[in-house]
């Protein structure tokens, strides 16, 4: 709160702060303070108008989401699973570090396109894989689950199992996002 006031004194017009307050009955709650400073013609701080908003429920949800995300991250790290999340219309596939490690690819140099992924699939498995993928994207199967070979960056082939599901469709029912 004092930093917010100091910023207004230094000429900042708009400010926002989040902090916790304790009621006279020892109940804690979170507030968001939005303030606007008004200055005189010579640039000196004249008045500050502020609005206090009870932010407790939002803060509770933020904390629950943070805890859930941390738990999911720990579970994924412990399971040593490679994960991916493909935004189909934009052709952007986000993968985790483990996915790259399995294939010997540096995460920073990962090509997020479907075409890149296709080049890693063994030619003998590609036709079957794409047929099953198409069926799933059309909604003909509940999940996309297939075992196939992918090329490691060192040139050898390794067997991988992909278990995925369409997690988002557009208003026309067309698959928008596939995660596995």
């Amino acid at each position: 709160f004092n930093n917010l006031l100091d910023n207004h004194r230094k000429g900042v017009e708009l400010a926002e702060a989040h902090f916790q307050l304790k009621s006279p009955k020892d109940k804690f709650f979170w507030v968001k303070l939005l303030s606007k400073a008004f200055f005189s013609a010579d640039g000196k701080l004249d008045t500050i108008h502020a609005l206090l908003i009870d932010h407790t429920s939002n803060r509770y949800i933020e904390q629950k989401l943070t805890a859930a995300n941390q738990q999911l991250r720990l579970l994924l790290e412990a399971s040593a699973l490679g994960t991916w999340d493909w935004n189909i219309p934009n052709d952007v596939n986000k993968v985790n570090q483990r996915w790259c490690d399995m294939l010997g690819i540096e995460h920073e140099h990962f090509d997020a396109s479907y075409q890149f992924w296709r080049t890693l699939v063994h030619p003998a498995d590609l036709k079957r894989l794409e047929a099953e993928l198409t069926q799933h994207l059309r909604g003909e199967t509940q999940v996309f689950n297939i075992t196939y070979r992918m090329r490691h960056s060192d040139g050898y082939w390794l067997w991988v199992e992909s278990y995925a599901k369409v997690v988002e469709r557009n208003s026309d029912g067309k698959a928008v996002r596939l995660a596995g």
Side-chain angles (χ1 to χ4, degrees):
F1 180 75
N2 288 330
N3 287 338
L4 181 135
L5 291 177
D6 287 342
N7 284 337
H8 283 315
R9 287 184 193 113
K10 292 175 184 173
V12 174
E13 182 183 2
L14 300 172
E16 180 177 325
H18 299 255
F19 47 92
Q20 193 174 36
L21 295 176
K22 182 179 173 184
S23 74
K25 295 182 179 182
D26 292 333
K27 181 181 176 189
F28 288 94
F29 57 99
W30 286 92
V31 294
K32 178 173 22 175
L33 173 68
L34 303 172
S35 60
K36 180 174 181 173
F38 294 89
F39 300 92
S40 62
D42 62 355
K44 292 185 180 181
L45 180 61
D46 188 28
T47 60
I48 299 172
H49 292 196
L51 177 65
L52 248 141
I53 302 166
D54 184 352
H55 199 57
T56 306
S57 62
N58 289 354
R59 189 66 177 206
Y60 175 78
I61 292 168
E62 288 171 9
Q63 289 171 338
K64 287 292 187 188
L65 282 172
T66 299
N69 285 338
Q70 182 180 26
Q71 183 180 17
L72 181 58
R73 184 182 50 79
L74 292 171
L75 288 170
L76 285 172
E77 287 175 8
S79 68
L81 293 173
T83 62
W84 49 275
D85 183 354
W86 182 29
N87 178 319
I88 300 165
N90 296 323
D91 191 25
V92 175
N93 189 16
K94 294 180 182 175
V95 300
N96 68 352
Q97 182 67 49
R98 176 67 181 134
W99 190 96
C100 289
D101 291 345
M102 288 189 307
L103 296 169
I105 299 170
E106 289 186 40
H107 196 260
E108 301 79 38
H109 299 115
F110 171 72
D111 179 343
S113 71
Y114 174 74
Q115 197 57 39
F116 173 71
W117 175 77
R118 269 182 108 252
T119 65
L120 299 175
V121 176
H122 193 284
D125 299 332
L126 189 58
K127 187 175 181 180
R128 177 179 56 88
L129 187 143
E130 287 190 324
E132 290 194 29
L133 178 60
T134 299
Q135 284 180 322
H136 183 66
L137 294 177
R138 287 183 185 153
E140 297 169 12
T141 59
Q142 292 293 314
V143 295
F144 172 68
N145 188 5
I146 187 168
T147 302
Y148 57 99
R149 290 166 284 187
M150 292 186 79
R151 187 177 60 249
H152 189 277
S153 65
D154 289 339
Y156 63 88
W157 297 98
L158 61 124
W159 287 95
V160 297
E161 179 181 11
S162 280
Y163 185 89
K165 186 172 184 167
V166 170
V167 293
E168 185 179 348
R169 293 186 180 275
N170 65 16
S171 59
D172 298 328
K174 189 173 180 180
V176 173
R177 195 164 152 218
L178 182 70

